[in-house]
Amino acid sequence: MRFALIGQPNCGKSTLFNQVSGYKAETGNFAGTTLTFTESKVRVLSEIVDLVDLPGTYSLAGSNPAEREVLHYLAYHPIDVVINIIDASHLAQGLNLTLELMELGRPLIVALNMMDEAARLGMEIDGPKLEELLGVDVLPLIASRGRGVRAVFTTAMHVAREALPPNRPVYSPGLEDAIGSITNNLNGQAQASPLASELMAIKLLEGNAQLLERVEGHSPKARPLVEQAQKDILERQGQPAIWVFNAERHEKAAQLAEQVVIRGEKRRSKRDYLDDILLHRFWGYVALAAILWLFFQIVYSVGSALEAPLLESFDNLAVWLAGLVGPGTFGAEMLTGVIQGIAGGVAIVLPYLLPFLLGLSILEDIGYLPRLAFLVDALMSRLGLHGKAIVPFILGYGCNVPAVMSTRLLEERRDRFIAATMATLVPCAARLAVVFGLVAFYLGPQLALGIYLFNLLVIALTGHVLSRFLPESSPGLILEIPVYRLPTWRAVAHKSWFRIREFVVDAWPLLIFGSVMLAVFERLDLARWLNAAVRPLTWVLDLPSRVGVPLIFGIFRKELSLVMLRQALGVVDFAEALTPIQMVTFTVFVVFYIPCLATLAALRRELGTRDMLIISLITVAIALAAALLARAVATVFI
Amino acid sequence: MHLLQVDIGKTIRVVGFDGGRKLEYKLRQLGVLPGNCARILRQAPLGGPVMIEVDGRSIAIGRGIASKINVEEEAAPCDSR
């Protein structure tokens, strides 16, 4: 058996999923896209059920990739029951999607979530009446507190066993005629598609281009037929078919809501006034700065407290293991390479990434991230992006890999490209180690802060220039701002776990591979050749030729640039081998140039090989220019 | 008049859109459709987005898009349906 969870964004669908799914839940991709859904095995009435959590969509008309994929998934995969989660406090909007789901020809139940929130707003919902009007089982639910969860799943099981799909809503005669005519004309010829034929007719009339292409493959007369019907509707009703369907569903949903909602006194709580401060024209930005400052403060204090002891234990482990194999042998060096690769993940990245992702999930579940997008939209639009692009940017300070992955939330490919480029320029936790270990330690924390500010400036400039080169206008921000909610620990832990797992699976193996490669290079004494190969670069930057190897290996793992610099220069104290100006130049170059191997892999997955190479080239060019500029400035001031 | 020309706190009714189909579709999904009533909640400074309340839902809309939404001002607040 397979159950599908579906609902509009912010309806609490994932909260329900997290309540019932185990930590073994799998994230999958829709074929050929970066859009993901999550699947888990759940026990219902002593039967094991596959539960699929589909991405939140407002409707299924197929005008964006998420809607198309969800419709495709619901129509073509064997699903025994569709569980439609509705935010009870926004019943009319939620019913819009329900009416569409009733057209699928699949068994359906409706769960009214956040009944507590609705009650707070003074709404009383007559569930039995809604059930009667829709002809679909309707159940109350408070997913965040686990209330009603069991009833939802047992009812879903009963409905799945009965396998009786609901009757779809009836449209106005004009639309019904068009649906009927297309259904009759295509009947028998489009049997290759398991889509209920009336649903197919509706989606074709709404202008789902992919679906039309598919159907056309079996019946060539489909296109003229559909286009004629669309023209008739446009002539008769004065608007395109898609809007007519949209308006009729909206009207029907509103009527249904009106019949079942009893409005009482709305109780205003403290939460309702929170936005007056957090989104205030002035105080909102003060709060933003305070929240981000606190956030990074916590992340870095937790991270740095864990990093040092962890690194030390790994060093000890490496020495001990090397001693067992025999110090100086090839095997020992390989082993040390593997240990260092594991240490890079456990001791350098995870101590920062873990509190970072936990904190981010909390901010997200409270509902602060959409508000952050609202606050910074004006700033981001000057960089050619809109407010939502702030998320990859902030994530970048933890690790560029999840940052690049999070560019998925942007709709336009161009926006994703610009946001990914900017995210790779953000100094991650590993690059922080270089900035702190070199500049802050030898030249003082003010200069380290200066490098961070300089980095921000360069990123802003890059965004600005890129958006000039890619002038197609960004669609701009349209974003629902959900009400504030208290995060549940289970949901936060679940979300963070999924994100950590992405890092562990995608990036970590590459870190270990990089470390082993490093050991091989050292063993074969290839350093001289590598230094010669990048000499033109180090010469231009006025750096010693021996920093070539650390720079190259920085591509494997960013913090290696610092770790290896010590070996390459053959000194314990950097001040003996590098002038302050060279330290600044080196650090600035490391902060900007080619993202690490793991980030490159993420870029390739999200944007393709070509864009990955372009972004790498852009970052080298920026790094070179920025390092030269920093050198010139440093020469004047230091 | 369009959305940006209305003061904060005022009530409006959506009349139509100047943008493309894709834009209109996204707005309609969130309840911003012709005939619907909305209230202007707040605006971010320095050319930031406008926040409106439609059917009890808060939506942030960038200025570029807001200037493409044609509205008329309403005297009375939206009925709380």
Side-chain angles (χ1 to χ4, degrees), chain A residues 59 63 67 263 276 477 479, chain B residues 25 29 42 58 60 62 65 81:
Chain A
S59 98
S63 78
E67 290 174 10
R263 279 198 184 266
D276 291 342
L477 185 76
L479 187 61
Chain B
Y25 181 72
Q29 282 188 328
R42 52 171 55 86
S58 303
I65 293 172
R81 190 158 63 182

Side-chain angles (χ1 to χ4, degrees), chain A residues 177-191:
Chain A
D177 284 350
I179 296 169
S181 125
I182 290 183
T183 311
N184 287 337
N185 276 294
L186 292 184
N187 218 5
Q189 287 162 61
Q191 285 310 313

Side-chain angles (χ1 to χ4, degrees), chain A residues 208-481:
Chain A
N208 185 327
Q210 264 90 347
L211 186 63
L212 183 56
E213 263 167 46
R214 257 186 124 91
V215 175
E216 224 181 354
H218 305 289
S219 46
K221 65 172 179 170
R223 187 176 293 271
L225 198 69
V226 171
E227 281 170 0
Q228 185 57 45
Q230 285 173 333
K231 225 176 95 192
D232 290 346
I233 292 171
L234 180 65
E235 268 170 24
R236 229 173 317 137
Q237 321 242 12
Q239 352 182 31
I242 182 169
W243 300 156
V244 183
F245 276 106
N246 184 284
E248 286 193 13
R249 268 188 219 120
H250 187 86
E251 186 55 33
K252 184 161 285 195
Q255 280 171 5
L256 280 169
E258 208 162 348
Q259 289 178 69
V260 300
V261 176
I262 304 142
R263 279 198 184 266
E265 191 69 12
K266 180 177 170 177
R267 277 168 279 163
R268 276 181 83 88
S269 71
K270 283 179 202 133
R271 282 194 286 171
D272 296 313
Y273 298 104
L274 209 51
D275 271 344
D276 291 342
I277 300 163
L278 291 183
L279 294 182
H280 188 268
R281 297 173 69 87
F282 175 73
W283 295 113
Y285 293 88
V286 175
L288 168 82
I291 289 169
L292 288 187
W293 181 83
L294 193 71
F295 180 54
F296 282 108
Q297 197 66 33
I298 292 171
V299 169
Y300 286 128
S301 50
V302 171
S304 50
L306 292 175
E307 182 182 347
L310 280 172
L311 266 184
E312 207 184 301
S313 8
F314 272 106
D315 279 346
N316 292 339
L317 181 70
V319 169
W320 180 72
L321 278 177
L324 285 188
V325 183
T329 60
F330 184 65
E333 277 167 23
M334 289 297 110
L335 207 59
T336 311
V338 172
I339 300 277
Q340 276 173 350
I342 296 171
V346 176
I348 298 175
V349 181
L350 286 184
Y352 294 97
L353 203 58
L354 205 64
F356 190 89
L357 292 178
L358 274 172
L360 192 81
S361 302
I362 292 173
L363 283 182
E364 190 179 348
D365 283 9
I366 286 177
Y368 190 66
L369 288 189
R371 288 169 170 85
L372 182 63
F374 174 82
L375 288 169
V376 301
D377 184 63
L379 182 73
M380 298 304 280
S381 66
R382 286 184 177 75
L383 309 180
L385 291 169
H386 60 69
K388 275 195 251 177
I390 192 74
V391 174
F393 188 77
I394 290 179
L395 271 173
Y397 283 99
C399 175
N400 286 179
V401 174
V404 169
M405 288 171 174
S406 73
T407 56
R408 279 174 209 169
L409 61 91
L410 300 170
E411 297 89 354
E412 301 292 321
R413 195 189 152 74
R414 161 204 180 267
D415 290 4
R416 286 203 294 271
F417 177 81
I418 297 178
T421 310
M422 286 165 65
T424 56
L425 292 174
V426 174
C428 60
R431 278 176 271 182
L432 173 95
V434 183
V435 176
F436 273 53
L438 205 57
V439 174
F441 189 76
Y442 287 95
L443 305 172
Q446 291 90 346
L447 203 62
L449 187 67
I451 287 186
Y452 268 72
L453 290 178
F454 176 62
N455 170 268
L456 269 178
L457 200 73
V458 172
I459 292 172
L461 202 68
T462 307
H464 194 72
V465 171
L466 278 179
S467 61
R468 282 287 158 84
F469 276 105
L470 303 164
E472 53 180 294
S473 68
S474 174
L477 185 76
I478 304 177
L479 187 61
E480 183 186 343
I481 310 284

Side-chain angles (χ1 to χ4, degrees), chain A residues 530-542:
Chain A
L530 289 174
N531 281 336
V534 291
R535 184 59 192 147
L537 185 78
T538 48
W539 181 77
V540 168
L541 294 173
D542 192 29

